[in-house]
Amino acid sequence: FRPGVISILLPRLKLIVEIIASSLGHMTDLINTEKDLVTSLKDYIKAEENKLEQIKKWAEKLDQLTDTATKDPEGFLGHPVNAFKLMKRLNTEWGELENLVLKDMSDGFISNMTIQRQYFPNDEDQTGAAKALLRLQDTYNLDTDTLSRGNLPGVKHKSFLTAEDCFELGKIAYTEADYYHTELWMEQALKQLDDGEVSTADKVSILDYLSYAVYQQGDLDKAMMLTKRLLELDPEHQRANGNLKYFEYIMSKEKEANKSTTETDSQTDKETKAKKKEPNKDYLPERQKYEMLCRGEGLKMTPRRQKKLFCRYYDGNQNPKYILAPVKQEDEWDKPRIVRFLEIISDEEIETVKELAKPRLSRATVHDPETGKLTTAHYRVSKSAWLSGYESPVVSRINRRIQDLTGLDVSTAEELQVANYGVGGQYEPHFDFGRVNAFKELGTGNRIATWLFYMSDVSAGGATVFPEVGASVWPKKGTAVFWYNLFPSGEGDYSTRHAACPVLVGNKWVSNKWIHERGQEFRRPCTLSELE
């Protein structure tokens, strides 16, 4: 028995002994008392067994899941649903298990839990994983049912979202005042419950969030219908009763106003309502074009221009190292000219670079145009590290290879930046060159060119796109792409505005070298025209 139970039982047992000693006339009462004690004991045992059974089922489920995950961690976490559910388990569900185990006085487990908790994700991490799913949903036009069932291209470990998971996504969207996604995910949670899924999420709570999210988007009729459905399940729901009265009052006002409106006004209202079912728009002017390119849609090169693109063996403009062993090069785009080098970095070199970078990976930063300092931004979601040539002969060799093939001096270039884009990782449209003396302190001039290694294949998503011209360059392990950010005159080429699309499935590793102007005066002479 636990100490608490013994303390309850002992006084009652003493009372029984005293009654037996004093009078046998109360024997029937003692029998009933003992029966009550036995019933209480059985209830306690049953409660303990139920708790142990819950813990056992949890352990069996997690044992199978972690066994699968540890065999291929990157592949497993490459599925966005797996990544979100991992965050949710560690941040929420393990805490619930902790409370359950605490009732059993399992000090050993709790002490271990306390030690490991410092490595657990927090609410911010779970919210970030949820936002990544929502970002993928919008970018790749995924409906909630497809995402919930895990029907994504190229997945290794299919996973699905429970009604509770969908409810959690809806709540996170709600806290961000993102009522569009709140509606989508609350409806999905409700649908799965209506289809018979057993869940801890309840329809009353879902309908409460859903009706308000629908109302916030202007669909009063639907909000009213959902509120009435909520009240059928819980007639005493205080907020729903208040909302229903408010909705009825608003509708009565609208009916009065509609009497004086024209047919044209009604048509305008219908068009306004039809436009409401869209994600929240942000500052990004080319959002639609950018997302279309990420999906492989959008602008395509004309056949006439495409005929001018070639593949070739390239010797680095007769560089001695590549005259007898030229590299494979192909044209990806004409204006701006983007070329891809194939089989340009080996698997061994990739692994070395990744191992050097992993201990240093941290949230990637961008230049703040106002302060000129590095800062994190929501539009760049990745982790990065910087590697110097003197740290490893492999990095030094890679730097030298870039110099030989581009013909540019890399002594004034930035260090090799290694970046890892996990699920939902992205870098929205930006320029690599600085427009407000961003690199003045370096004294090496602007970023004249970009060299980008692809160090992994990506199952779905993760393209490098150029919204200004409609180009899409897809990741291919062992290759690299190169383009100039500046015209020979030193003026910025605005057509090089580019983005790293969100990774839908997989894990994207890249490394890039930003080459600066200083040292290129005789390697790439300027011209008299700003556009040359």
Side-chain angles (χ1 to χ4, degrees):
F1 291 159
R2 293 186 303 173
V5 176
I6 294 173
S7 63
I8 295 171
L9 294 180
L10 280 177
R12 300 181 70 176
L13 288 171
K14 289 178 180 177
L15 176 61
I16 293 171
V17 172
E18 291 170 2
I19 292 173
I20 292 174
S22 61
S23 172
L24 293 177
H26 298 284
M27 288 295 288
T28 53
D29 293 335
L30 294 176
I31 293 293
N32 292 330
T33 302
E34 189 177 36
K35 183 179 180 180
D36 289 341
L37 287 173
V38 172
T39 302
S40 298
L41 180 61
K42 285 183 177 180
D43 289 343
Y44 164 72
I45 293 171
K46 186 177 180 180
E48 286 293 325
E49 287 176 343
N50 286 339
K51 291 171 190 173
L52 289 173
E53 188 62 26
Q54 289 180 51
I55 295 170
K56 183 179 178 182
K57 288 180 179 179
W58 174 268
E60 289 173 351
K61 182 182 76 171
L62 265 294
D63 184 51
Q64 184 178 0
L65 184 64
T66 53
D67 184 58
T68 302
T70 52
K71 289 178 181 176
D72 182 15
E74 288 196 359
F76 183 83
L77 292 176
H79 195 305
V81 170
N82 286 335
F84 166 72
K85 295 190 75 168
L86 175 63
M87 293 291 181
K88 180 173 176 286
R89 280 197 304 276
L90 290 175
N91 182 50
T92 305
E93 297 175 10
W94 276 98
E96 296 171 355
L97 180 65
E98 178 183 355
N99 293 333
L100 183 63
V101 174
L102 271 170
K103 293 179 182 178
D104 294 338
M105 306 299 287
S106 299
D107 295 332
F109 175 80
I110 297 305
S111 61
N112 184 44
M113 187 85 164
T114 303
I115 294 171
Q116 296 298 332
R117 182 171 289 283
Q118 60 182 313
Y119 304 112
F120 283 8
N122 54 28
D123 288 344
E124 185 180 353
D125 296 320
Q126 183 176 334
T127 300
K131 287 182 177 179
L133 274 177
L134 302 183
R135 186 161 58 245
L136 292 172
Q137 181 180 13
D138 294 341
T139 303
Y140 296 105
N141 277 349
L142 301 171
D143 62 81
T144 51
D145 196 59
T146 297
L147 202 50
S148 178
R149 295 176 185 274
N151 294 328
L152 303 177
V155 296
K156 290 184 179 180
H157 308 280
K158 188 172 180 179
S159 186
F160 64 92
L161 291 167
T162 64
E164 186 184 356
D165 295 329
C166 297
F167 180 53
E168 186 68 27
L169 280 169
K171 284 198 297 182
I172 289 173
Y174 180 86
T175 59
E176 299 288 320
D178 179 1
Y179 301 115
Y180 169 79
H181 287 109
T182 303
E183 179 183 356
L184 290 181
W185 285 103
M186 290 301 173
E187 283 187 335
Q188 182 63 28
L190 193 61
K191 175 181 179 295
Q192 290 181 202
L193 290 182
D194 287 342
D195 290 342
E197 182 179 321
V198 178
S199 174
T200 56
D202 66 280
K203 292 183 180 181
V204 170
S205 297
I206 292 171
L207 286 165
D208 193 13
Y209 279 100
L210 179 56
S211 59
Y212 185 76
V214 169
Y215 163 70
Q216 284 292 334
Q217 295 182 90
D219 194 341
L220 192 59
D221 291 334
K222 185 175 179 181
M224 197 166 181
M225 179 268 292
L226 292 167
T227 304
K228 288 179 178 178
R229 183 178 174 185
L230 189 162
L231 288 171
E232 288 176 4
L233 299 172
D234 183 3
E236 304 301 320
H237 197 283
Q238 186 174 356
R239 183 165 47 251
N241 278 298
N243 286 345
L244 185 61
K245 291 179 181 178
Y246 177 70
F247 294 158
E248 289 173 343
Y249 170 76
I250 295 295
M251 288 190 76
S252 65
K253 288 290 184 181
E254 286 185 355
K255 285 180 181 179
E256 292 177 8
N258 285 339
K259 291 179 182 178
S260 58
T261 58
T262 62
E263 187 176 336
T264 305
D265 293 333
S266 298
Q267 183 63 30
T268 303
D269 290 341
K270 289 179 182 178
E271 290 175 359
T272 303
K273 283 190 175 183
K275 290 180 181 179
K276 78 176 182 65
K277 303 292 184 181
E278 295 179 357
N280 295 333
K281 298 299 179 185
D282 55 21
Y283 71 96
L284 197 61
E286 66 266 63
R287 167 70 65 189
Q288 186 176 4
K289 187 186 295 184
Y290 155 60
E291 292 184 347
M292 288 180 69
L293 290 171
C294 289
R295 296 192 295 268
E297 305 168 2
L299 296 175
K300 303 292 182 183
M301 187 177 286
T302 62
R304 184 176 180 181
R305 287 174 61 190
Q306 209 163 16
K307 287 180 180 179
K308 298 179 181 179
L309 303 182
F310 296 95
C311 56
R312 64 189 68 80
Y313 282 102
Y314 182 69
D315 62 8
N317 289 325
Q318 296 188 334
N319 186 290
K321 291 182 181 179
Y322 297 104
I323 290 177
L324 295 178
V327 298
K328 298 175 183 177
Q329 185 193 73
E330 62 182 22
D331 298 325
E332 286 281 350
W333 206 257
D334 54 355
K335 292 182 180 180
R337 186 165 186 254
I338 306 169
V339 295
R340 187 195 294 262
F341 294 87
L342 287 72
E343 299 172 11
I344 203 63
I345 183 171
S346 68
D347 289 347
E348 292 76 14
E349 289 173 326
I350 287 173
E351 289 307 310
T352 298
V353 169
K354 286 168 64 175
E355 289 306 311
L356 288 170
K358 281 178 181 178
R360 311 184 203 175
L361 287 175
S362 59
R363 178 71 188 271
T365 56
V366 296
H367 277 279
D368 187 325
E370 294 183 3
T371 64
K373 297 180 180 179
L374 292 174
T375 182
T376 58
H378 71 277
Y379 56 84
R380 185 179 190 184
V381 185
S382 67
K383 288 190 173 182
S384 65
W386 299 84
L387 303 179
S388 299
Y390 63 80
E391 296 180 66
S392 166
V394 171
V395 178
S396 179
R397 186 165 67 242
I398 288 171
N399 289 340
R400 185 67 190 179
R401 187 178 306 153
I402 295 171
Q403 178 166 298
D404 290 339
L405 290 172
T406 62
L408 299 175
D409 185 355
V410 298
S411 63
T412 58
E414 295 174 48
E415 294 177 343
L416 186 71
Q417 182 184 223
V418 182
N420 176 225
Y421 295 83
V423 172
Q426 64 168 4
Y427 191 177
E428 291 183 353
H430 61 282
F431 300 102
D432 278 352
F433 63 86
R435 291 173 292 166
V436 195
N437 294 324
F439 310 105
K440 187 176 182 180
E441 293 181 3
L442 295 178
T444 55
N446 213 335
R447 289 172 175 168
I448 191 173
T450 297
W451 177 285
L452 177 64
F453 284 111
Y454 292 114
M455 302 197 300
S456 67
D457 292 312
V458 180
S459 299
T464 305
V465 299
F466 295 73
E468 294 293 319
V469 295
S472 297
V473 180
W474 298 91
K476 185 177 180 182
K477 186 178 182 181
T479 70
V481 290
F482 173 77
W483 67 87
Y484 281 101
N485 298 304
L486 307 178
F487 292 112
S489 64
E491 293 296 318
D493 184 352
Y494 284 79
S495 68
T496 61
R497 184 171 171 83
H498 61 286
C501 294
V503 175
L504 178 58
V505 178
N507 196 15
K508 178 182 174 184
W509 283 90
V510 298
S511 57
N512 62 275
K513 195 78 172 174
W514 282 310
I515 305 171
H516 284 244
E517 290 178 288
R518 297 295 174 263
Q520 322 306 338
E521 291 82 357
F522 298 102
R523 293 172 182 258
R524 195 194 188 215
C526 63
T527 61
L528 297 178
S529 171
E530 290 185 359
L531 300 179
E532 292 182 2

